[in-house]
Each structure stands twice: as structure tokens, then as C-alpha cells.
Coordinates of all heavy atoms in Angstrom, one line a residue:
I1 N 79.3 168.6 -196.1 CA 79.5 167.6 -195.1 C 78.1 167.3 -194.5 O 77.4 168.2 -194.1 CB 80.5 168.1 -194.0 CG1 81.9 168.2 -194.5 CG2 80.4 167.1 -192.8 CD1 82.9 168.8 -193.6
P2 N 77.7 166.1 -194.4 CA 76.4 165.8 -193.8 C 76.3 166.3 -192.4 O 77.2 166.1 -191.6 CB 76.4 164.2 -193.8 CG 77.3 163.8 -195.0 CD 78.4 164.9 -195.0
G3 N 75.2 167.0 -192.1 CA 74.9 167.5 -190.8 C 75.3 169.0 -190.7 O 74.9 169.6 -189.7
T4 N 76.0 169.5 -191.6 CA 76.4 170.9 -191.6 C 75.2 171.8 -191.7 O 74.4 171.7 -192.7 CB 77.4 171.3 -192.7 OG1 78.7 170.6 -192.4 CG2 77.7 172.8 -192.6
E5 N 75.0 172.7 -190.8 CA 73.8 173.6 -190.8 C 74.3 175.0 -191.3 O 73.5 175.7 -191.9 CB 73.2 173.8 -189.4 CG 72.6 172.5 -188.9 CD 72.0 172.7 -187.5 OE1 72.1 173.8 -187.0 OE2 71.5 171.7 -187.0
Q6 N 75.5 175.4 -191.0 CA 75.9 176.8 -191.3 C 77.4 176.8 -191.5 O 78.2 176.2 -190.7 CB 75.5 177.7 -190.2 CG 75.6 179.2 -190.5 CD 75.2 180.0 -189.3 OE1 76.0 180.3 -188.4 NE2 73.9 180.4 -189.3
V7 N 77.9 177.6 -192.5 CA 79.3 177.9 -192.7 C 79.4 179.4 -192.8 O 78.7 180.0 -193.7 CB 79.9 177.2 -193.9 CG1 81.4 177.6 -194.1 CG2 79.8 175.7 -193.8
T8 N 80.2 180.1 -192.0 CA 80.4 181.5 -192.1 C 81.9 181.8 -192.2 O 82.7 180.9 -192.1 CB 79.8 182.2 -190.8 OG1 80.4 181.6 -189.7 CG2 78.3 181.9 -190.7
L9 N 82.2 183.1 -192.4 CA 83.6 183.5 -192.7 C 83.9 184.8 -191.9 O 83.1 185.7 -191.9 CB 83.7 183.7 -194.2 CG 85.1 184.2 -194.7 CD1 86.1 183.1 -194.9 CD2 85.0 185.0 -196.0
T10 N 85.1 184.9 -191.4 CA 85.6 186.1 -190.8 C 86.7 186.6 -191.6 O 87.7 185.8 -192.0 CB 86.1 185.9 -189.3 OG1 84.9 185.6 -188.5 CG2 86.7 187.1 -188.8
T11 N 86.7 187.9 -192.0 CA 87.7 188.4 -193.0 C 87.9 189.9 -192.6 O 87.1 190.6 -192.0 CB 87.2 188.3 -194.4 OG1 88.1 189.0 -195.3 CG2 85.8 188.9 -194.6
N12 N 89.1 190.4 -193.1 CA 89.4 191.8 -193.0 C 88.8 192.6 -194.2 O 88.8 193.8 -194.2 CB 90.9 192.1 -192.9 CG 91.7 191.6 -194.1 OD1 91.2 191.6 -195.2 ND2 92.9 191.2 -193.8
G13 N 88.2 191.9 -195.1 CA 87.4 192.6 -196.2 C 88.3 193.0 -197.4 O 87.7 193.4 -198.4
V14 N 89.6 192.9 -197.3 CA 90.4 193.4 -198.3 C 90.2 192.7 -199.7 O 90.1 193.3 -200.7 CB 91.9 193.3 -198.0 CG1 92.8 193.6 -199.1 CG2 92.3 194.2 -196.8
E15 N 90.0 191.4 -199.7 CA 89.8 190.6 -200.9 C 88.3 190.2 -201.0 O 88.0 189.4 -201.9 CB 90.6 189.4 -200.9 CG 92.1 189.6 -200.9 CD 92.6 190.2 -202.2 OE1 91.9 190.1 -203.2 OE2 93.7 190.9 -202.2
L16 N 87.4 190.7 -200.2 CA 86.1 190.2 -200.2 C 85.3 190.6 -201.5 O 84.5 189.7 -202.0 CB 85.3 190.8 -199.0 CG 84.0 190.2 -198.6 CD1 84.0 188.7 -198.5 CD2 83.4 190.8 -197.4
E17 N 85.4 191.8 -202.0 CA 84.8 192.1 -203.2 C 85.1 191.2 -204.3 O 84.3 190.7 -205.1 CB 85.1 193.6 -203.6 CG 84.3 194.0 -204.8 CD 84.6 195.5 -205.2 OE1 85.7 196.0 -204.8 OE2 83.7 196.1 -205.9
R18 N 86.4 190.8 -204.4 CA 86.9 189.9 -205.4 C 86.3 188.5 -205.3 O 85.9 187.9 -206.4 CB 88.4 189.8 -205.3 CG 89.1 188.8 -206.3 CD 90.5 188.8 -206.0 NE 91.2 187.7 -206.7 CZ 92.5 187.4 -206.6 NH1 93.2 188.0 -205.6 NH2 93.1 186.4 -207.3
Y19 N 86.1 188.0 -204.1 CA 85.6 186.7 -204.0 C 84.1 186.5 -203.6 O 83.7 185.4 -203.4 CB 86.5 186.0 -202.9 CG 87.9 185.7 -203.3 CD1 89.0 186.4 -202.8 CD2 88.1 184.7 -204.3 CE1 90.3 186.1 -203.2 CE2 89.4 184.4 -204.7 CZ 90.5 185.1 -204.2 OH 91.7 184.8 -204.6
M20 N 83.4 187.6 -203.4 CA 82.1 187.6 -202.9 C 81.1 186.7 -203.7 O 80.4 185.8 -203.2 CB 81.5 189.0 -202.8 CG 80.2 189.1 -201.9 SD 80.6 188.8 -200.2 CE 79.8 187.3 -199.8
D21 N 81.2 186.8 -205.0 CA 80.3 185.9 -205.9 C 80.6 184.5 -205.7 O 79.7 183.6 -205.6 CB 80.4 186.3 -207.3 CG 79.8 187.7 -207.6 OD1 79.0 188.2 -206.8 OD2 80.1 188.2 -208.7
D22 N 81.9 184.1 -205.6 CA 82.3 182.8 -205.4 C 81.9 182.2 -204.1 O 81.5 181.0 -204.0 CB 83.8 182.6 -205.6 CG 84.4 182.9 -207.0 OD1 83.5 182.8 -207.9 OD2 85.5 183.3 -207.1
L23 N 82.0 183.0 -203.1 CA 81.6 182.6 -201.7 C 80.1 182.4 -201.6 O 79.6 181.4 -201.0 CB 82.0 183.7 -200.7 CG 83.5 183.8 -200.5 CD1 83.8 185.0 -199.7 CD2 84.0 182.5 -199.7
V24 N 79.3 183.3 -202.3 CA 77.8 183.1 -202.3 C 77.5 181.8 -203.1 O 76.7 181.0 -202.6 CB 77.2 184.3 -202.9 CG1 75.7 184.0 -203.2 CG2 77.3 185.5 -202.0
A25 N 78.2 181.6 -204.2 CA 77.9 180.4 -205.0 C 78.3 179.1 -204.2 O 77.7 178.0 -204.4 CB 78.7 180.4 -206.3
A26 N 79.3 179.2 -203.3 CA 79.7 178.1 -202.5 C 78.7 177.8 -201.4 O 78.8 176.7 -200.7 CB 81.1 178.3 -201.9
G27 N 77.8 178.7 -201.1 CA 76.8 178.5 -200.1 C 77.1 179.2 -198.7 O 76.5 178.9 -197.7
L28 N 78.0 180.1 -198.7 CA 78.4 180.8 -197.5 C 77.1 181.5 -196.9 O 76.3 182.1 -197.6 CB 79.4 181.9 -197.7 CG 80.0 182.6 -196.5 CD1 80.9 181.7 -195.7 CD2 80.7 183.9 -196.9
D29 N 76.9 181.3 -195.6 CA 75.7 181.7 -194.9 C 75.8 183.2 -194.3 O 74.8 183.9 -194.2 CB 75.3 180.8 -193.8 CG 74.9 179.4 -194.3 OD1 73.9 179.3 -194.9 OD2 75.7 178.5 -194.1
A30 N 77.0 183.6 -193.9 CA 77.2 184.9 -193.3 C 78.7 185.2 -193.3 O 79.5 184.4 -193.4 CB 76.6 184.9 -191.9
V31 N 78.9 186.6 -193.2 CA 80.3 187.0 -193.2 C 80.5 188.0 -192.1 O 79.6 188.9 -191.9 CB 80.7 187.6 -194.6 CG1 79.9 188.8 -195.0 CG2 82.2 188.0 -194.6
N32 N 81.6 187.9 -191.4 CA 82.0 188.9 -190.4 C 83.2 189.7 -190.9 O 84.2 189.0 -191.3 CB 82.4 188.3 -189.0 CG 81.2 187.6 -188.3 OD1 80.1 187.6 -188.9 ND2 81.4 187.1 -187.2
I33 N 83.1 191.0 -190.9 CA 84.2 191.8 -191.4 C 84.8 192.7 -190.3 O 84.1 193.4 -189.6 CB 83.7 192.7 -192.6 CG1 83.0 191.8 -193.6 CG2 84.8 193.5 -193.2 CD1 82.1 192.6 -194.6
S34 N 86.1 192.6 -190.1 CA 86.8 193.4 -189.1 C 87.0 194.8 -189.6 O 87.6 195.0 -190.7 CB 88.1 192.7 -188.7 OG 87.9 191.4 -188.2

């Protein structure tokens, strides 16, 4: 989206290992894990 500076994600981490590569490829800037 034009103007977007940052996209981050909050997760419990259960599925994070499975999706981490995809999220990085998507351009995720940071992750918060509970």
C-alpha cells in the first residue's frame, strides 16, 4: 500500500516457525511474541 512504512505481527508463536520464511519474504518488519 503506498505510504506504508512498517508492517508488524503479534503472535503466540505456535505456528511462527512454520511461517517465518514466508513472513520475511512478504516484508514483515518485526514480530511480537506472547
Side-chain angles (χ1 to χ4, degrees):
I1 293 174
T4 295
E5 295 178 1
Q6 189 181 89
V7 178
T8 58
L9 177 83
T10 291
T11 173
N12 60 32
V14 172
E15 296 293 338
L16 190 55
E17 183 178 24
R18 174 185 175 188
Y19 288 110
M20 197 69 245
D21 289 345
D22 293 337
L23 290 166
V24 170
L28 188 71
D29 293 291
V31 61
N32 293 3
I33 304 162
S34 299

